[in-house]
Amino acid sequence: MTKGNLLIKNAAELVTCSGFEAKKGKEMNELHVIPNGAVVIQGGVIQGVGSTEEILKNYCESDFQVIDASGKSVLPGFVDSHTHFVFGGYRAEEFSWRLRGDSYMEIMERGGGIINSVKATREASKEELFRLGKRRLDSMLSFGVTTVEGKSGYGLDYETEIKQLEVMEKLDQEHPIDIVKTFLGAHAVPKDYKGREDAFVEFLIEKVLPTVVERNLAEFCDIFCEKNVFSVEQSRRLLTKAKEMGMKLKLHADEIVQLGGAELAAALGAVSADHLLQASDQGIEDMAKAGVVATLLPCTAFSLREHYARARHMIDHGCAVALATDLNPGSCFTESIPLVFALATLYMKMSIEEAVTALTINGAAAVGRADKIGSIDAGKQGDIIILEFPSYKYIPYHIGVSTVEKVVKKGVLVFDKENKKS
């Protein structure tokens, strides 16, 4: 039997999330559910989607590995569209500092925060980063993640930024999860460039970006556009150059203060703007008009004890909203998709349907791959999850606990909770 040939039948509900681009506003509630559904995957690509009765009329079960999903809900694999999963070292002590009331920016200003992780990542070997990255990917897979975006940004120098991207490239080749690589050299200002932020941006443009582009080490370029980090103009300069060199754009925008990052993302045609806790009404309107995906990271707001991004306002005003974990060693050390769902539905006023859309087709759009993944449509990659329960509504209902029983990647069973892995 050919690898990647799989037939899933008798699904209590087949949640297709059908579509080939980001869903905006009211569209985010449209999940296109097929009762007693079935899906056929051949050579890793979805060929047929419909009721079990219809599918079995057109396909011979003996030609496929068959999974009977009776009493189960079947969905597209989740797309975690914002993470920093390749890093060295941990910052548990800083978590305790935040518990006593120290702010994220206060910790950063006294040498903690991102700079702390930079030291550990610079010192870590490629082998160590690969081992740590693989372990984190294995955990993500158990939560139903089949595609993840990973950022550099814990180097802030030539060697380590390239090292992080090379590690992600190797992991992409060797792990079932697809990895979308983002160059985030402008994640913070290194100590030797303090007060010379313009010079650091110039260093990234002249010395690091060319290698990233020439070696095709990253698809996206990102920057932390924030007060006391990189200004709107510095961000514009770096991202404009990256765009001229053929890269797609992302932006850490309006997380701590309202700086105009959302407006900049819209003006530059970024694929996504992320965080957005302080995004202005104008910025949200601009993003909706420009088709920028608003990627919201509720676990970060939860961990920092900050107000959540205004998901309800964004959706009601025509934005396409995605959700992601923001897995990182400092402000949000979690890869928990169930926690993302719980926070989005309980505290961000998102419907369960909107949250599902945000972690499937809109997550795919946030990494520029809505035409290939994020829904169960003919012609797309066969990335699918099977829940333990008969409805997608159990995902946030079983608070903080993974309901994912099986994960299929390109038509191959790559995770099974009963057997841990196939």
Side-chain angles (χ1 to χ4, degrees), residues 85-387:
F85 78 93
V86 173
F87 59 84
Y90 294 95
R91 284 150 52 191
E93 186 177 14
E94 292 181 18
F95 184 82
S96 68
W97 293 345
R98 291 207 307 274
L99 293 180
R100 75 185 186 195
D102 295 5
S103 74
Y104 178 80
M105 293 306 289
E106 284 171 345
I107 292 169
M108 195 168 175
E109 285 165 8
R110 67 170 183 254
I114 293 166
I115 298 299
N116 196 342
S117 292
V118 166
K119 182 176 184 295
T121 306
R122 286 180 178 181
E123 293 172 353
S125 66
K126 279 188 185 180
E127 292 73 23
E128 175 70 1
L129 292 176
F130 180 89
R131 183 184 65 80
L132 291 168
K134 181 180 181 301
R135 189 166 69 189
R136 292 164 193 148
L137 289 173
D138 288 345
S139 180
M140 292 178 201
L141 190 67
S142 73
F143 287 120
V145 173
T146 52
T147 299
V148 67
E149 185 259 13
K151 303 178 190 294
S152 66
Y154 290 125
L156 310 184
D157 60 8
Y158 179 91
E159 293 78 14
T160 316
E161 289 295 314
I162 298 302
K163 178 172 68 174
Q164 281 189 274
L165 293 170
E166 288 175 337
V167 168
M168 280 186 265
E169 186 171 49
K170 186 178 179 185
L171 284 166
D172 188 33
Q173 294 166 358
E174 299 189 22
H175 198 278
I177 292 178
D178 285 333
I179 300 168
V180 180
K181 301 185 294 298
T182 294
F183 170 58
L184 181 60
H187 194 193
V189 182
K191 291 179 181 178
D192 49 336
Y193 277 94
K194 276 292 181 187
R196 299 190 301 122
E197 290 79 8
D198 286 336
F200 182 61
V201 170
E202 189 64 27
F203 161 73
L204 294 175
I205 290 172
E206 290 188 355
K207 302 296 185 183
V208 192
L209 259 180
T211 299
V212 172
V213 172
E214 287 164 17
R215 294 182 53 193
N216 196 27
L217 288 173
E219 226 173 294
F220 287 87
C221 183
D222 194 351
I223 187 168
F224 191 7
C225 181
E226 188 58 66
K227 183 180 178 182
N228 298 327
V229 190
F230 296 102
S231 70
V232 169
E233 284 311 310
Q234 289 162 347
S235 301
R236 186 192 306 276
R237 186 177 172 211
L238 176 66
L239 294 177
T240 299
K241 187 63 178 179
K243 189 173 184 178
E244 288 172 359
M245 297 173 76
M247 299 189 79
K248 300 172 189 172
L249 308 183
K250 287 181 171 288
L251 220 71
H252 280 57
D254 300 322
E255 179 184 5
I256 313 296
V257 300
Q258 192 177 105
L259 201 67
E263 290 90 335
L264 178 63
L268 293 178
V271 173
S272 76
D274 304 19
H275 284 293
L276 301 169
L277 276 66
Q278 307 297 333
S280 69
D281 289 353
Q282 185 63 54
I284 291 167
E285 182 181 332
D286 290 354
M287 286 194 302
K289 288 179 180 176
V292 178
V293 178
T295 300
L296 308 184
L297 312 169
C299 293
T300 308
F302 174 75
S303 178
L304 295 177
R305 295 190 286 195
E306 298 287 348
H307 293 293
Y308 295 98
R310 294 185 291 158
R312 183 76 271 137
H313 178 89
M314 293 177 189
I315 294 170
D316 290 345
H317 286 77
C319 268
V321 167
L323 292 166
T325 62
D326 192 21
L327 168 64
N328 72 74
S331 61
C332 187
F333 185 41
T334 184
E335 65 273 28
S336 176
I337 295 296
L339 181 56
V340 173
F341 264 103
L343 296 176
T345 53
L346 289 170
Y347 295 107
M348 296 174 70
K349 300 180 181 179
M350 293 178 70
S351 70
I352 300 174
E353 291 76 15
E354 288 167 344
V356 170
T357 295
L359 274 155
T360 54
I361 187 64
N362 281 11
V367 294
R369 298 191 182 185
D371 59 332
K372 298 180 179 67
I373 58 172
S375 68
I376 303 176
D377 281 307
K380 285 198 175 184
Q381 198 164 277
D383 297 353
I384 289 172
I385 60 175
I386 301 173
L387 304 186

